[in-house]
Structures are given as C-alpha cells and as structure tokens.
Amino acid sequence: MSLSRSPSPRGGGGWSSPGLTSPYDSVSGKSSPRKTFGDVSMNGSASGDNVTWASAKARSEEVNGYPKFSTRNNGFFSRHARKISTSLPSFGMGGRRDFADKEKLGRGRWPRISGSRTGRFLTYLGRIIWRLRLRLGIVLALLLAIILFYVTPLHRMYRRASFLGGGSKFVVILAANQGGGVMEWKGPREWAIERDSVRNKKKYAKKWGYDLEIVDMSTKKRYAHEWRESWEKVDTIRNCLRKYPKAEWFWWLDLNTFVMEPSYSLQQHVFNDLLGNTYRDINVYNPLNITHPFQSHHLDPVARSPTGNGRAESIDLIVPQDCAGFNLGSFFIHRSLWTDRLLDIWWDPVGYEQKHMEWEHKEQDALEHLYTNQPWIRPHTAFIPQRKINSFPMGACGENGEDSRIHYSERDRDFVVNMAGCEWGRDCWGEMYNFRELSNKLNRTPWEKFKDGISDRVKALRGGDKKEEGQS
C-alpha cells in the first residue's frame, strides 16, 4: 500500500501528503530530484490535475468556517519596532556594563560574616522572622493603628462622643475676671495667675473632650444697685444649663484652682463609681454640726433617711467640705428639675439683699442655710471627700496643722488643688507657680524623666568640680 496519496473525492485525483511521502524517495545520487505533483509550473498555475496542500487547506477553511488566525507583528510599527529602536542613538551613562547573568551563590547569606557566630545568628533570626511574618505583620499593624489613634484627633473624637467616651456630657465652668477686678485693677501677678489657670483648664478639657466655659465675672452684674460679688455664680450656672442643652454634669472651678493630674478623667475619677466616691450622710464629716436627718413625722421616709433613697440617679449636687463647712471652689451640679428649682431659690434676691451682712461667704452660706432648713434639699445632695476634687495647700485651714482630709498630698497624687483664701495674707502667684511646676514634674513622660536625670547628673558633677576648685 502506497502512502504517497490519500483517497480523493475526484476520480484519478488526490491530495498530496508531504508529511508521508518524501519527494526524494526515488532520487538517486546521479540525477536531480524530480518534481512531484504539487509543483507549480512556470506560469504560476498548478501543474497537471494535482491539488496543492495550500489550496486544499484554504478550501477546507472555507468549508468548515474556521476563524482566520493572525500572528503577531503584522502591523508596520509592530514589525519595525525593533528596527526603529536599534536605529536610535544610545548613550553610555557609566563605565563598562557586563550584562551576563552570574549565578548568585551567596543569595540569602551574610557574605562577610557568614562563617562567624554573628552571621549564623542573623541567618537564624531571619528564618524565625520569616516563619512568623504573618503574626509580626498583625502586631505591627496594631501598633500603627494605636499610634495613629493618639497622634491624630481620633482619640479626642472618641473621648468626646456621647456614646463612647462621654466627654460631651460634661462642662467645665471657670470663673475668670479677664476685664479687671470689681474692687481693684489687676496687676502683673494677677494676670499671670489667670493665664496659668486658664491654660491649665483648656488643656485638660481638650484632652478629655469636655466643653469649657470661661466666665468673665466682672461683666455679669444683673443687680448692680445691690450687687455683691460672687453671688453671680448661681446665675452663671443657669446660663450654662441653657447654653449646653445636651450636657448632664457641670463642674464649677474658681480661678485659683489648678488641675494637678490631667491624666484623671472625671468619669474614671468620680462618676463611674458615684456611690463609692461620695457619701450622703453629712455626719461622716460634719464641721457645721448640722442635725441630720430631719425627725419631723410629716416628712416622707426618703426625707427622713440619712442617705436619701440610696441611688446614684438621685444625686444632683456634689459638694466638698473644708474645715469651715461647704466649699464651692470646686463642685458638681447635675441637670434636672430639682436643679432648676434649687437655682431659682438660691438666686432669689431676698437672700443676698437681706443676708449679705450675716453671710460672709455669700452664696456658700446661702446653700448651707438651704441645706439646714429645707428638707427637700438633702435627698439630692451628696458630699465628696475634700481631697478628691478640692485639696488645699498648707496655708488654707492650717491653724491646726496638716489635716489628711483637707491638705494636698504629693504622694497620693491628688487631683485638684485650690489656693483658697490666698489673697488674704498669702502669695497666690507663688503658690500657683509651685504647684504648676510640681504638676509638670509629676506628669513627665519617660523620655523627659531620662533627659532631666542626665541634666541633674551633669549639674551635680559641675557643682562638685566647683567645690573642689574653691577648696584648692
């Protein structure tokens, strides 16, 4: 059977099979190979009745409808891209370049110290890091997120949000007198006290997302014909209740106060455990010797109870007590209907018009009078230890020496210090400056402590050298 042809639909015809029959099978070494069927004649047409492989392939594609296959580099620019690029001028940017790819036998090794102990350790460490790359990546991502949280304003937004940190629920009211005193104009020392106090409160309020209301006490005269300075404290609180309708607690601070520990938030320091940080029974510490509770039988059980109803939700006023009684240099008041009623009665002009000669501490004595004589005041009033929010320096209430319930303690890191009464025979600016420097020292960062330690060491060495020179 000859494999030179395949069966053809044409009689006597056939398709050539170049892959099966070589055109040189019958060629001898003496003559040239003869042309087989499929050769083209001199005029370009197919010779004989034979069908060429190219024409048969073209007809087969037409019958079967196969898509035309197009090779790459058929376009002008595609075919001549390399010729165009090679015809462009080239510039030598350096010395001799060797493009030979060399085998990198030292890949992954430490070439200079590969045989040493350090090289082996670094190689081992690299393998460990590569194995733990996923965990290390997660840890680095968490560290980056924490850094971004505290570097950017995100942490302030978190602390201020009512449903997260809750900072928007608190308002700090600072009694300033930026326009000059009512009785006398302020000098440089008074301005310095006000500057430091205002800066301290601004920094603290910004840190924890609280609102800060700075009140100019010299421009709030509602009753100028019968004005008594410091009575306006009550009216200022009422204005703040209207100005901040979403706030819940308002913290009043006198100008001579200083926040010693800005890292303490009000929530953490007081309000997260309000019952544990306050006491309702004034007999726990009663410098005024007020009889408590009321014994009248017509009162309800809550009014006759020494602790009211015992629930934190019923506390609307939080007041510290010093050696002389109530102290309103630093106190809290809560938004409620009871508070509105208290402020209306507290601000009644009858009180300061008729009692200003008897009440030396004015609005403070007025509140003590209401607490002593009005049964409805006590169930909503709580007391807080003096040093919790209103520590005194040794100059205040110091007639009997240091009192652990009243005076500031550096060891215990008290929250706020109040230089109460410093204008009467004491140096207000000196006390403010000393407590400011002490607060900066106590709240240093580890880096600041390290720098200060080196500085102190250098100063000590220089002092010792000077002493030796003096002795010689």
Side-chain angles (χ1 to χ4, degrees), residues 179-424:
V182 176
M183 303 301 296
E184 60 181 5
W185 292 103
K186 293 188 293 185
R189 298 171 72 86
E190 287 75 17
W191 281 112
I193 292 173
E194 181 174 309
R195 181 193 63 233
D196 286 354
S197 180
V198 171
R199 184 189 297 135
N200 174 250
K201 309 309 184 300
K202 284 183 176 180
K203 182 178 179 181
Y204 180 75
K206 182 180 180 181
K207 178 180 179 64
W208 294 106
Y210 306 145
D211 289 307
L212 176 62
E213 181 70 13
I214 302 176
V215 183
D216 187 355
M217 301 295 285
S218 67
T219 60
K220 295 291 183 180
K221 299 180 180 181
R222 291 292 186 89
Y223 302 90
H225 61 289
E226 288 290 344
W227 180 250
R228 297 294 179 268
E229 190 175 4
S230 83
W231 278 94
E232 63 185 350
K233 183 179 296 186
V234 181
D235 191 42
T236 299
I237 295 175
R238 294 200 306 177
N239 294 335
C240 289
L241 287 171
R242 290 191 292 266
K243 185 175 180 179
Y244 301 95
K246 296 183 179 180
E248 298 180 6
W249 283 96
F250 296 82
W251 184 23
W252 178 277
L253 286 172
D254 283 349
L255 185 64
N256 290 332
T257 58
F258 197 89
V259 179
M260 297 294 294
E261 298 296 333
S263 60
Y264 297 174
S265 67
L266 295 179
Q267 299 93 312
Q268 174 190 2
H269 191 61
V270 178
F271 292 97
N272 287 348
D273 185 15
L274 193 56
L275 291 179
N277 291 321
T278 60
Y279 58 95
R280 309 285 283 274
D281 188 0
I282 195 175
N283 294 314
V284 174
Y285 180 65
N286 192 359
L288 296 175
N289 295 320
I290 298 175
T291 302
H292 182 76
F294 285 102
Q295 300 297 328
S296 300
H297 296 287
H298 66 279
L299 299 175
D300 58 24
V302 175
R304 285 182 288 151
S305 172
T307 59
N309 61 8
R311 295 184 303 198
E313 295 80 8
S314 63
I315 299 177
D316 293 315
L317 180 64
I318 304 175
V319 180
Q321 294 189 92
D322 58 23
C323 58
F326 293 7
N327 187 282
L328 300 183
S330 172
F331 70 97
F332 296 99
I333 192 165
H334 182 243
R335 179 191 299 277
S336 66
L337 295 175
W338 179 91
T339 300
D340 294 337
R341 181 183 178 188
L342 171 66
L343 293 176
D344 288 340
I345 297 177
W346 197 0
W347 180 244
D348 192 342
V350 174
Y352 63 79
E353 283 184 355
Q354 297 183 0
K355 296 289 187 179
H356 66 272
M357 297 299 293
E358 301 178 19
W359 293 341
E360 179 182 359
H361 298 97
K362 298 151 186 168
E363 85 291 342
Q364 192 167 283
D365 291 337
L367 181 61
E368 293 175 352
H369 176 78
L370 292 175
Y371 182 87
T372 303
N373 297 282
Q374 298 294 333
W376 62 274
I377 299 288
R378 300 189 186 187
H380 295 269
T381 303
F383 300 95
I384 190 168
Q386 174 81 6
R387 287 175 49 196
K388 197 75 175 178
I389 62 169
N390 198 34
S391 298
F392 278 3
M394 277 299 299
C397 287
E399 294 82 1
N400 299 322
E402 183 177 358
D403 191 338
S404 60
R405 295 172 299 184
I406 296 175
H407 294 123
Y408 174 81
S409 172
E410 178 183 347
R411 181 187 60 186
D412 296 334
R413 305 288 291 268
D414 289 348
F415 181 34
V416 176
V417 63
N418 182 8
M419 281 69 75
C422 63
E423 62 272 14
W424 307 105

